[in-house]
Structures are given as C-alpha cells and as structure tokens.
Amino acid sequence: FKSHRAKGEEKSEFLASTDNWFRPTQIKTGPDGALYVADMYRLIIEHPEWIPAAMQSRVDLRAGHDRGRIWRIVPKGTKHRPAPHLGKMSTAQLVGALDHPNGWQRDTVQRLLVEKMDKTAAQPLMEVLKKSKLPQARLQALCTLDGLNAVDSKAIDLGLRDKHSSVRQHAARLCFGKNALLSRKVINDPSPLVRRQVAFSLGDTTDTKAAEALVQLAKDKNADVRLAVKSSVTPHLTVMLREIFASDKQPPRDITSHLLQLATSGNNQNALVQVLTEMSNPKYRLIKVRMMSGFLDALNAQGQT
C-alpha cells in the first residue's frame, strides 16, 4: 500500500485544531459518502499507570469523560446524499445496491443478504461478479456468495480470471475444487498475494499434483509466498521431497531444511525413507551433499543420531 498527501496539503494535515483536547481516534466513511471522525475529546489520554503520582494529584484524569464529538467532513460545494434505507429493500434491490463505490453501503448490503440467506440472490450476485466495473463490488459479490453457501465452480472460475488481484486472491481462498489452483496461469499469477493464497490453499488437499505445484511455488522469489508453502507441506512431504530430488532447479535452502526437519520429526517415516533412498541414488550426486548436510542438521537440532 502507498499513500500520499493531497495536492496543496503536502505540508499540512487536512484536519487540525488549536484545541489541546482534540483527540481524533477513528475515521470511517459514512453512508452519505462523507468522512466521519470520532473525537474522544479528553484532557488526558495516557493511562494513569504511566503518569507519575505527583502529576496525577495535580490534574483531573477524568476531565472530558462526559464529552466527545463526531466530525462530518465533506468537500466544499458537495450536495448531501441521503443514506439509502437498505433494511427495507428486497433481495434483488439489495444486490443492485452492492454495486456501489461506497464501502459502508457494500458492507451493509453484504451483511443483510447473508442474514436473509435468500438463495435467489445467487444468480444476480453472479452478474455483479461478472459485470461490475468496481473490483470492490466484484470481490464482495464473491464473498457474499460464500456467505450464502452458493459458491460453485463457475464463481471460482470467474474469480480466478478477474483482472484485479484481490478478487483472484479471494477466489483462491474460497476454492474447494483444488484442481482450479493447479493451472500454470494461477500458479504463475503476477501478484504475490495471489500466489501466497494459492500456496495456503494447496495445503488443504492431498493431491500429488498439489505437491508438484508447491515445489514450484517454493522457488518463488517472494519470501511471503515461500512462508505460505512451508505452512502447507505436511500432507505433501514425501512427494515434495521426491520432486525436489528430481528437479534441476532447487528451491531455496530454507524450504529444503524445513522439509528435512519435518521428515526427521513426528511420524513421517515414509518421508524419511524417501530422503534416505533418494540420497543413495547416484544420479542425485550434485545435490546429495547439500541434502545430506541439511538432513544431519535436522537430526542434530532434535538431538537424534
């Protein structure tokens, strides 16, 4: 995420006060599109634990406990937009209201639709996912379908092909048919957020092809993606070790060490047999020393011989 100050406000805050009791604590977008700032408005906001006893006796630590303000901020000349009465809308009207740039409105629509659990919302939600110009609306349509237990392969396919990375990321998170995550396009997604989620989701299946995909993701240059791979290796340990031995391009050492540590701990006897068997294979002599070193380090770390 990147932020920047607005033009003309590079050296100043857009909201400031000469009142020393001014304590802005939270900012939210309101249903009318305005910014709402909660102003705690207290003389002292530090906890008494951090104020010397001598100072505590000189001030009223509770001063302002009966006060507080909410500031509503709008651009000059902006016309007031009345808040919609979402609670009175039908299911179809609510889905239509989801396709809107206002975050409060989308969140409230999603909550109301999930509370109603009206499955007739599924098809119009698919249309929002398919046609909305707002990635936020497409994302919340997908997640609302999940809240209605109405996510199917078509919704996942649409989500994984979306042009915005956040929609693709959540499609990977919701993916129940893991085969959809095994395509080369998904594994090589340009966004590290998507690749990381794919790595997380692949830990939810025992498919051997998922292990092959995890080995590929283990070679990712992004450290967060590799960390996600580590969290998903347990059901794929034996196959991943076999794939690593057979590969010309080895994953980073931290991944290999993690796999070897798992192989030498717990009840991973099959994985341990795989390691020792492959180490004895002459065709793997180029990586044999490195793997044996990692294997011995893993044993040593656990006090084993």
Side-chain angles (χ1 to χ4, degrees):
F1 295 96
K2 293 182 179 179
S3 63
H4 62 86
R5 292 184 180 274
K7 187 177 181 180
E9 297 180 350
E10 291 87 353
K11 296 183 179 180
S12 65
E13 298 292 343
F14 78 95
L15 176 64
S17 175
T18 56
D19 188 343
N20 288 334
W21 287 32
F22 177 58
R23 309 290 191 188
T25 55
Q26 191 174 33
I27 186 168
K28 288 282 187 180
T29 304
D32 57 357
L35 287 177
Y36 285 82
V37 179
D39 178 4
M40 185 177 174
Y41 203 74
R42 297 285 284 268
L43 170 62
I44 294 172
I45 57 174
E46 288 82 5
H47 193 283
E49 183 177 352
W50 314 115
I51 301 175
M55 178 62 73
Q56 291 188 38
S57 64
R58 292 162 50 188
V59 296
D60 179 4
L61 298 176
R62 295 281 296 165
H65 72 92
D66 56 345
R67 303 188 185 186
R69 296 181 286 200
I70 297 175
W71 298 93
R72 179 176 176 272
I73 305 170
V74 293
K76 290 180 179 179
T78 300
K79 292 183 178 180
H80 177 70
R81 181 173 74 86
H85 296 288
L86 300 175
K88 298 180 180 180
M89 290 185 177
S90 66
T91 296
Q93 290 172 324
L94 280 172
V95 175
L98 183 69
D99 192 3
H100 196 278
N102 183 274
W104 175 91
Q105 179 165 316
R106 291 195 311 274
D107 288 347
T108 305
V109 166
Q110 181 175 353
R111 175 177 61 81
L112 291 172
L113 284 171
V114 173
E115 286 176 355
K116 290 175 68 144
M117 286 303 288
D118 184 353
K119 294 300 181 71
T120 62
Q123 188 53 45
L125 282 169
M126 284 290 290
E127 292 301 308
V128 176
L129 176 59
K130 187 186 304 182
K131 298 178 180 179
S132 176
K133 295 180 180 179
L134 294 172
Q136 300 97 318
R138 299 196 301 273
L139 171 57
Q140 292 198 246
L142 177 63
C143 292
T144 305
L145 283 167
D146 178 49
L148 296 173
N149 298 317
V151 172
D152 57 15
S153 58
K154 290 183 179 179
I156 293 296
D157 185 57
L158 274 174
L160 290 175
R161 291 190 288 110
D162 196 276
K163 58 186 176 183
H164 197 284
S165 59
S166 289
V167 183
R168 301 197 302 274
Q169 175 191 0
H170 282 272
R173 178 179 66 84
L174 298 173
C175 190
F176 53 87
K178 303 304 176 185
N179 286 338
L181 298 177
L182 298 176
S183 73
R184 186 176 297 274
K185 184 177 181 181
V186 174
I187 296 171
N188 295 321
D189 193 282
S191 169
L193 288 175
V194 178
R195 300 196 303 275
R196 183 183 68 165
Q197 183 57 58
V198 170
F200 279 134
S201 297
L202 288 174
D204 235 3
T205 176
T206 55
D207 192 325
T208 56
K209 292 183 179 179
E212 297 169 8
L214 283 170
V215 170
Q216 182 175 338
L217 288 165
K219 301 168 187 175
D220 201 287
K221 293 181 180 180
N222 187 283
D224 287 339
V225 176
R226 298 198 303 274
L227 188 62
V229 171
K230 287 183 181 181
S231 79
S232 296
V233 298
T234 301
H236 307 292
L237 192 55
T238 303
V239 179
M240 286 186 71
L241 283 167
R242 186 166 61 241
E243 287 292 317
I244 288 173
F245 273 109
S247 175
D248 294 330
K249 185 179 179 182
Q250 296 296 298
R253 189 180 183 91
D254 64 317
I255 294 288
T256 307
S257 297
H258 183 71
L259 291 170
L260 290 169
Q261 286 171 11
L262 287 176
T264 56
S265 64
N267 296 314
N268 294 305
Q269 295 301 311
N270 290 336
L272 187 57
V273 169
Q274 184 71 42
V275 172
L276 297 173
T277 301
E278 299 295 355
M279 279 184 180
S280 66
N281 192 325
K283 73 176 182 177
Y284 297 137
R285 65 170 65 93
L286 294 177
I287 62 169
K288 186 175 179 180
V289 172
R290 175 182 165 188
M291 294 291 281
M292 180 60 79
S293 174
F295 176 62
L296 293 175
D297 286 343
L299 287 176
N300 186 55
Q302 297 173 51
Q304 297 186 48
T305 65

mmCIF file of all heavy atoms in Angstrom, residues 11-46:
data_model
loop_
_atom_site.group_PDB
_atom_site.id
_atom_site.type_symbol
_atom_site.label_atom_id
_atom_site.label_comp_id
_atom_site.label_asym_id
_atom_site.label_seq_id
_atom_site.Cartn_x
_atom_site.Cartn_y
_atom_site.Cartn_z
ATOM 1 N N LYS A 11 2.258 19.749 3.219
ATOM 2 C CA LYS A 11 2.923 20.095 4.477
ATOM 3 C C LYS A 11 1.931 20.388 5.605
ATOM 4 O O LYS A 11 2.279 21.025 6.595
ATOM 5 C CB LYS A 11 3.839 21.308 4.260
ATOM 6 C CG LYS A 11 4.980 21.036 3.285
ATOM 7 C CD LYS A 11 5.903 22.243 3.161
ATOM 8 C CE LYS A 11 7.050 21.955 2.209
ATOM 9 N NZ LYS A 11 7.972 23.117 2.073
ATOM 10 N N SER A 12 0.714 19.930 5.436
ATOM 11 C CA SER A 12 -0.282 20.184 6.475
ATOM 12 C C SER A 12 -1.267 19.031 6.570
ATOM 13 O O SER A 12 -1.427 18.259 5.636
ATOM 14 C CB SER A 12 -1.048 21.481 6.176
ATOM 15 O OG SER A 12 -1.801 21.340 4.979
ATOM 16 N N GLU A 13 -1.938 18.927 7.720
ATOM 17 C CA GLU A 13 -2.987 17.931 7.899
ATOM 18 C C GLU A 13 -4.302 18.486 7.344
ATOM 19 O O GLU A 13 -4.561 19.685 7.435
ATOM 20 C CB GLU A 13 -3.165 17.606 9.385
ATOM 21 C CG GLU A 13 -1.940 17.002 10.050
ATOM 22 C CD GLU A 13 -1.617 15.618 9.548
ATOM 23 O OE1 GLU A 13 -2.516 14.998 8.930
ATOM 24 O OE2 GLU A 13 -0.491 15.155 9.762
ATOM 25 N N PHE A 14 -5.146 17.636 6.806
ATOM 26 C CA PHE A 14 -6.427 18.121 6.279
ATOM 27 C C PHE A 14 -7.394 18.448 7.413
ATOM 28 O O PHE A 14 -8.372 19.158 7.228
ATOM 29 C CB PHE A 14 -7.047 17.106 5.319
ATOM 30 C CG PHE A 14 -7.720 15.942 5.996
ATOM 31 C CD1 PHE A 14 -9.079 15.971 6.245
ATOM 32 C CD2 PHE A 14 -7.005 14.824 6.382
ATOM 33 C CE1 PHE A 14 -9.719 14.909 6.874
ATOM 34 C CE2 PHE A 14 -7.628 13.762 7.003
ATOM 35 C CZ PHE A 14 -8.980 13.796 7.253
ATOM 36 N N LEU A 15 -7.106 17.923 8.610
ATOM 37 C CA LEU A 15 -7.941 18.208 9.771
ATOM 38 C C LEU A 15 -7.019 18.485 10.958
ATOM 39 O O LEU A 15 -6.210 17.626 11.326
ATOM 40 C CB LEU A 15 -8.852 17.019 10.080
ATOM 41 C CG LEU A 15 -9.717 17.146 11.340
ATOM 42 C CD1 LEU A 15 -10.719 18.287 11.183
ATOM 43 C CD2 LEU A 15 -10.438 15.841 11.622
ATOM 44 N N ALA A 16 -7.087 19.673 11.509
ATOM 45 C CA ALA A 16 -6.239 20.044 12.641
ATOM 46 C C ALA A 16 -7.005 20.987 13.549
ATOM 47 O O ALA A 16 -8.038 21.543 13.162
ATOM 48 C CB ALA A 16 -4.950 20.703 12.148
ATOM 49 N N SER A 17 -6.512 21.167 14.781
ATOM 50 C CA SER A 17 -7.203 22.027 15.730
ATOM 51 C C SER A 17 -6.199 22.668 16.674
ATOM 52 O O SER A 17 -5.151 22.093 16.988
ATOM 53 C CB SER A 17 -8.216 21.201 16.535
ATOM 54 O OG SER A 17 -8.821 22.000 17.542
ATOM 55 N N THR A 18 -6.532 23.871 17.131
ATOM 56 C CA THR A 18 -5.717 24.530 18.153
ATOM 57 C C THR A 18 -6.165 24.123 19.553
ATOM 58 O O THR A 18 -5.554 24.515 20.541
ATOM 59 C CB THR A 18 -5.831 26.063 18.010
ATOM 60 O OG1 THR A 18 -7.215 26.432 18.083
ATOM 61 C CG2 THR A 18 -5.249 26.530 16.679
ATOM 62 N N ASP A 19 -7.229 23.335 19.646
ATOM 63 C CA ASP A 19 -7.761 22.861 20.929
ATOM 64 C C ASP A 19 -6.944 21.659 21.388
ATOM 65 O O ASP A 19 -6.925 20.613 20.730
ATOM 66 C CB ASP A 19 -9.230 22.484 20.755
ATOM 67 C CG ASP A 19 -9.920 22.162 22.087
ATOM 68 O OD1 ASP A 19 -9.204 21.910 23.076
ATOM 69 O OD2 ASP A 19 -11.161 22.148 22.111
ATOM 70 N N ASN A 20 -6.291 21.777 22.530
ATOM 71 C CA ASN A 20 -5.433 20.688 23.025
ATOM 72 C C ASN A 20 -6.220 19.439 23.416
ATOM 73 O O ASN A 20 -5.638 18.378 23.607
ATOM 74 C CB ASN A 20 -4.620 21.166 24.232
ATOM 75 C CG ASN A 20 -3.529 22.134 23.832
ATOM 76 O OD1 ASN A 20 -3.055 22.103 22.701
ATOM 77 N ND2 ASN A 20 -3.126 23.010 24.751
ATOM 78 N N TRP A 21 -7.523 19.559 23.570
ATOM 79 C CA TRP A 21 -8.336 18.398 23.914
ATOM 80 C C TRP A 21 -8.786 17.632 22.667
ATOM 81 O O TRP A 21 -9.446 16.602 22.785
ATOM 82 C CB TRP A 21 -9.565 18.834 24.712
ATOM 83 C CG TRP A 21 -9.288 19.247 26.117
ATOM 84 C CD1 TRP A 21 -8.159 19.845 26.595
ATOM 85 C CD2 TRP A 21 -10.162 19.090 27.227
ATOM 86 N NE1 TRP A 21 -8.266 20.082 27.932
ATOM 87 C CE2 TRP A 21 -9.499 19.636 28.355
ATOM 88 C CE3 TRP A 21 -11.444 18.582 27.386
ATOM 89 C CZ2 TRP A 21 -10.073 19.660 29.624
ATOM 90 C CZ3 TRP A 21 -12.022 18.604 28.648
ATOM 91 C CH2 TRP A 21 -11.341 19.138 29.760
ATOM 92 N N PHE A 22 -8.434 18.117 21.515
ATOM 93 C CA PHE A 22 -8.836 17.456 20.260
ATOM 94 C C PHE A 22 -8.106 16.120 20.142
ATOM 95 O O PHE A 22 -6.889 16.071 20.041
ATOM 96 C CB PHE A 22 -8.492 18.376 19.079
ATOM 97 C CG PHE A 22 -8.800 17.788 17.726
ATOM 98 C CD1 PHE A 22 -10.078 17.380 17.391
ATOM 99 C CD2 PHE A 22 -7.795 17.658 16.766
ATOM 100 C CE1 PHE A 22 -10.367 16.854 16.140
ATOM 101 C CE2 PHE A 22 -8.069 17.129 15.510
ATOM 102 C CZ PHE A 22 -9.352 16.732 15.201
ATOM 103 N N ARG A 23 -8.872 15.020 20.170
ATOM 104 C CA ARG A 23 -8.285 13.667 20.156
ATOM 105 C C ARG A 23 -8.968 12.799 19.096
ATOM 106 O O ARG A 23 -9.819 11.962 19.418
ATOM 107 C CB ARG A 23 -8.444 12.999 21.525
ATOM 108 C CG ARG A 23 -7.983 13.822 22.715
ATOM 109 C CD ARG A 23 -6.483 13.985 22.752
ATOM 110 N NE ARG A 23 -6.055 14.559 24.034
ATOM 111 C CZ ARG A 23 -4.821 14.942 24.291
ATOM 112 N NH1 ARG A 23 -3.885 14.803 23.356
ATOM 113 N NH2 ARG A 23 -4.501 15.455 25.474
ATOM 114 N N PRO A 24 -8.647 12.977 17.828
ATOM 115 C CA PRO A 24 -9.270 12.123 16.801
ATOM 116 C C PRO A 24 -8.769 10.685 16.943
ATOM 117 O O PRO A 24 -7.568 10.429 16.920
ATOM 118 C CB PRO A 24 -8.801 12.756 15.486
ATOM 119 C CG PRO A 24 -7.519 13.454 15.836
ATOM 120 C CD PRO A 24 -7.663 13.920 17.253
ATOM 121 N N THR A 25 -9.684 9.745 17.115
ATOM 122 C CA THR A 25 -9.296 8.359 17.382
ATOM 123 C C THR A 25 -9.680 7.378 16.277
ATOM 124 O O THR A 25 -9.135 6.283 16.207
ATOM 125 C CB THR A 25 -9.944 7.872 18.693
ATOM 126 O OG1 THR A 25 -11.362 8.063 18.599
ATOM 127 C CG2 THR A 25 -9.411 8.654 19.881
ATOM 128 N N GLN A 26 -10.643 7.755 15.431
ATOM 129 C CA GLN A 26 -11.052 6.823 14.377
ATOM 130 C C GLN A 26 -11.689 7.589 13.227
ATOM 131 O O GLN A 26 -12.288 8.647 13.442
ATOM 132 C CB GLN A 26 -12.039 5.793 14.923
ATOM 133 C CG GLN A 26 -12.308 4.639 13.956
ATOM 134 C CD GLN A 26 -13.179 3.568 14.571
ATOM 135 O OE1 GLN A 26 -14.046 3.859 15.388
ATOM 136 N NE2 GLN A 26 -12.970 2.317 14.196
ATOM 137 N N ILE A 27 -11.528 7.053 12.024
ATOM 138 C CA ILE A 27 -12.116 7.694 10.850
ATOM 139 C C ILE A 27 -12.816 6.630 10.013
ATOM 140 O O ILE A 27 -12.299 5.515 9.851
ATOM 141 C CB ILE A 27 -11.024 8.418 10.025
ATOM 142 C CG1 ILE A 27 -11.640 9.218 8.871
ATOM 143 C CG2 ILE A 27 -9.969 7.458 9.518
ATOM 144 C CD1 ILE A 27 -10.665 10.168 8.209
ATOM 145 N N LYS A 28 -14.017 6.945 9.544
ATOM 146 C CA LYS A 28 -14.804 5.998 8.755
ATOM 147 C C LYS A 28 -15.525 6.723 7.626
ATOM 148 O O LYS A 28 -15.846 7.908 7.747
ATOM 149 C CB LYS A 28 -15.861 5.316 9.639
ATOM 150 C CG LYS A 28 -15.320 4.303 10.634
ATOM 151 C CD LYS A 28 -14.984 2.990 9.974
ATOM 152 C CE LYS A 28 -14.615 1.934 10.994
ATOM 153 N NZ LYS A 28 -14.293 0.643 10.360
ATOM 154 N N THR A 29 -15.802 5.987 6.565
ATOM 155 C CA THR A 29 -16.677 6.507 5.516
ATOM 156 C C THR A 29 -18.114 6.268 5.929
ATOM 157 O O THR A 29 -18.474 5.162 6.333
ATOM 158 C CB THR A 29 -16.407 5.786 4.177
ATOM 159 O OG1 THR A 29 -15.032 5.927 3.841
ATOM 160 C CG2 THR A 29 -17.269 6.386 3.073
ATOM 161 N N GLY A 30 -18.944 7.302 5.816
ATOM 162 C CA GLY A 30 -20.336 7.181 6.218
ATOM 163 C C GLY A 30 -21.233 6.775 5.068
ATOM 164 O O GLY A 30 -20.813 6.733 3.908
ATOM 165 N N PRO A 31 -22.501 6.486 5.350
ATOM 166 C CA PRO A 31 -23.448 6.072 4.308
ATOM 167 C C PRO A 31 -23.703 7.159 3.266
ATOM 168 O O PRO A 31 -24.148 6.862 2.160
ATOM 169 C CB PRO A 31 -24.723 5.747 5.093
ATOM 170 C CG PRO A 31 -24.573 6.463 6.390
ATOM 171 C CD PRO A 31 -23.115 6.481 6.688
ATOM 172 N N ASP A 32 -23.420 8.406 3.625
ATOM 173 C CA ASP A 32 -23.623 9.506 2.682
ATOM 174 C C ASP A 32 -22.358 9.850 1.911
ATOM 175 O O ASP A 32 -22.328 10.812 1.147
ATOM 176 C CB ASP A 32 -24.128 10.746 3.432
ATOM 177 C CG ASP A 32 -23.179 11.163 4.549
ATOM 178 O OD1 ASP A 32 -22.179 10.453 4.774
ATOM 179 O OD2 ASP A 32 -23.435 12.205 5.189
ATOM 180 N N GLY A 33 -21.283 9.073 2.121
ATOM 181 C CA GLY A 33 -20.026 9.326 1.423
ATOM 182 C C GLY A 33 -19.095 10.271 2.144
ATOM 183 O O GLY A 33 -17.956 10.476 1.717
ATOM 184 N N ALA A 34 -19.565 10.888 3.233
ATOM 185 C CA ALA A 34 -18.720 11.806 3.995
ATOM 186 C C ALA A 34 -17.754 11.022 4.876
ATOM 187 O O ALA A 34 -17.958 9.835 5.141
ATOM 188 C CB ALA A 34 -19.597 12.719 4.853
ATOM 189 N N LEU A 35 -16.707 11.720 5.330
ATOM 190 C CA LEU A 35 -15.791 11.126 6.301
ATOM 191 C C LEU A 35 -16.278 11.485 7.697
ATOM 192 O O LEU A 35 -16.600 12.653 7.976
ATOM 193 C CB LEU A 35 -14.370 11.661 6.113
ATOM 194 C CG LEU A 35 -13.593 11.176 4.895
ATOM 195 C CD1 LEU A 35 -12.237 11.865 4.837
ATOM 196 C CD2 LEU A 35 -13.409 9.667 4.941
ATOM 197 N N TYR A 36 -16.342 10.507 8.571
ATOM 198 C CA TYR A 36 -16.749 10.746 9.949
ATOM 199 C C TYR A 36 -15.557 10.474 10.867
ATOM 200 O O TYR A 36 -14.959 9.404 10.808
ATOM 201 C CB TYR A 36 -17.923 9.840 10.316
ATOM 202 C CG TYR A 36 -19.234 10.303 9.713
ATOM 203 C CD1 TYR A 36 -19.568 9.991 8.397
ATOM 204 C CD2 TYR A 36 -20.125 11.067 10.453
ATOM 205 C CE1 TYR A 36 -20.763 10.439 7.838
ATOM 206 C CE2 TYR A 36 -21.322 11.509 9.907
ATOM 207 C CZ TYR A 36 -21.627 11.195 8.603
ATOM 208 O OH TYR A 36 -22.788 11.637 8.051
ATOM 209 N N VAL A 37 -15.226 11.466 11.694
ATOM 210 C CA VAL A 37 -14.088 11.348 12.605
ATOM 211 C C VAL A 37 -14.601 11.351 14.040
ATOM 212 O O VAL A 37 -15.293 12.274 14.460
ATOM 213 C CB VAL A 37 -13.093 12.509 12.408
ATOM 214 C CG1 VAL A 37 -11.929 12.382 13.397
ATOM 215 C CG2 VAL A 37 -12.572 12.540 10.985
ATOM 216 N N ALA A 38 -14.272 10.305 14.793
ATOM 217 C CA ALA A 38 -14.626 10.245 16.210
ATOM 218 C C ALA A 38 -13.558 11.000 17.000
ATOM 219 O O ALA A 38 -12.372 10.680 16.923
ATOM 220 C CB ALA A 38 -14.702 8.788 16.674
ATOM 221 N N ASP A 39 -13.986 12.035 17.725
ATOM 222 C CA ASP A 39 -13.100 12.878 18.525
ATOM 223 C C ASP A 39 -13.340 12.538 19.992
ATOM 224 O O ASP A 39 -14.368 12.879 20.575
ATOM 225 C CB ASP A 39 -13.423 14.349 18.237
ATOM 226 C CG ASP A 39 -12.573 15.314 19.059
ATOM 227 O OD1 ASP A 39 -11.678 14.843 19.788
ATOM 228 O OD2 ASP A 39 -12.818 16.531 18.951
ATOM 229 N N MET A 40 -12.373 11.846 20.623
ATOM 230 C CA MET A 40 -12.518 11.418 22.017
ATOM 231 C C MET A 40 -12.691 12.629 22.942
ATOM 232 O O MET A 40 -13.409 12.568 23.935
ATOM 233 C CB MET A 40 -11.284 10.610 22.408
ATOM 234 C CG MET A 40 -11.322 9.990 23.772
ATOM 235 S SD MET A 40 -9.833 9.001 24.017
ATOM 236 C CE MET A 40 -10.000 8.542 25.716
ATOM 237 N N TYR A 41 -12.042 13.733 22.628
ATOM 238 C CA TYR A 41 -12.121 14.999 23.356
ATOM 239 C C TYR A 41 -11.917 14.817 24.857
ATOM 240 O O TYR A 41 -12.845 14.909 25.665
ATOM 241 C CB TYR A 41 -13.454 15.721 23.090
ATOM 242 C CG TYR A 41 -13.324 17.211 23.360
ATOM 243 C CD1 TYR A 41 -12.637 18.031 22.469
ATOM 244 C CD2 TYR A 41 -13.828 17.787 24.512
ATOM 245 C CE1 TYR A 41 -12.476 19.394 22.714
ATOM 246 C CE2 TYR A 41 -13.677 19.145 24.774
ATOM 247 C CZ TYR A 41 -12.991 19.938 23.882
ATOM 248 O OH TYR A 41 -12.825 21.271 24.126
ATOM 249 N N ARG A 42 -10.673 14.554 25.235
ATOM 250 C CA ARG A 42 -10.300 14.399 26.648
ATOM 251 C C ARG A 42 -9.049 15.222 26.927
ATOM 252 O O ARG A 42 -8.216 15.427 26.048
ATOM 253 C CB ARG A 42 -10.017 12.925 26.962
ATOM 254 C CG ARG A 42 -11.186 11.989 26.806
ATOM 255 C CD ARG A 42 -12.175 12.132 27.931
ATOM 256 N NE ARG A 42 -11.716 11.502 29.154
ATOM 257 C CZ ARG A 42 -11.988 10.247 29.509
ATOM 258 N NH1 ARG A 42 -12.723 9.483 28.717
ATOM 259 N NH2 ARG A 42 -11.557 9.765 30.649
ATOM 260 N N LEU A 43 -8.918 15.659 28.172
ATOM 261 C CA LEU A 43 -7.716 16.389 28.565
ATOM 262 C C LEU A 43 -6.497 15.472 28.522
ATOM 263 O O LEU A 43 -5.444 15.822 27.992
ATOM 264 C CB LEU A 43 -7.879 16.960 29.982
ATOM 265 C CG LEU A 43 -6.614 17.559 30.626
ATOM 266 C CD1 LEU A 43 -6.119 18.743 29.811
ATOM 267 C CD2 LEU A 43 -6.889 17.962 32.073
ATOM 268 N N ILE A 44 -6.655 14.265 29.056
ATOM 269 C CA ILE A 44 -5.539 13.321 29.149
ATOM 270 C C ILE A 44 -5.977 11.984 28.558
ATOM 271 O O ILE A 44 -7.056 11.469 28.874
ATOM 272 C CB ILE A 44 -5.109 13.131 30.622
ATOM 273 C CG1 ILE A 44 -4.515 14.445 31.165
ATOM 274 C CG2 ILE A 44 -4.093 11.988 30.750
ATOM 275 C CD1 ILE A 44 -4.233 14.411 32.643
ATOM 276 N N ILE A 45 -5.136 11.430 27.702
ATOM 277 C CA ILE A 45 -5.469 10.129 27.114
ATOM 278 C C ILE A 45 -4.510 9.030 27.579
ATOM 279 O O ILE A 45 -4.747 7.857 27.337
ATOM 280 C CB ILE A 45 -5.478 10.188 25.569
ATOM 281 C CG1 ILE A 45 -4.126 10.665 25.023
ATOM 282 C CG2 ILE A 45 -6.602 11.069 25.073
ATOM 283 C CD1 ILE A 45 -4.029 10.592 23.514
ATOM 284 N N GLU A 46 -3.388 9.409 28.232
ATOM 285 C CA GLU A 46 -2.481 8.389 28.760
ATOM 286 C C GLU A 46 -3.136 7.627 29.912
ATOM 287 O O GLU A 46 -3.946 8.178 30.664
ATOM 288 C CB GLU A 46 -1.174 9.029 29.269
ATOM 289 C CG GLU A 46 -0.253 9.535 28.184
ATOM 290 C CD GLU A 46 -0.649 10.915 27.679
ATOM 291 O OE1 GLU A 46 -1.592 11.512 28.251
ATOM 292 O OE2 GLU A 46 -0.033 11.388 26.733
#
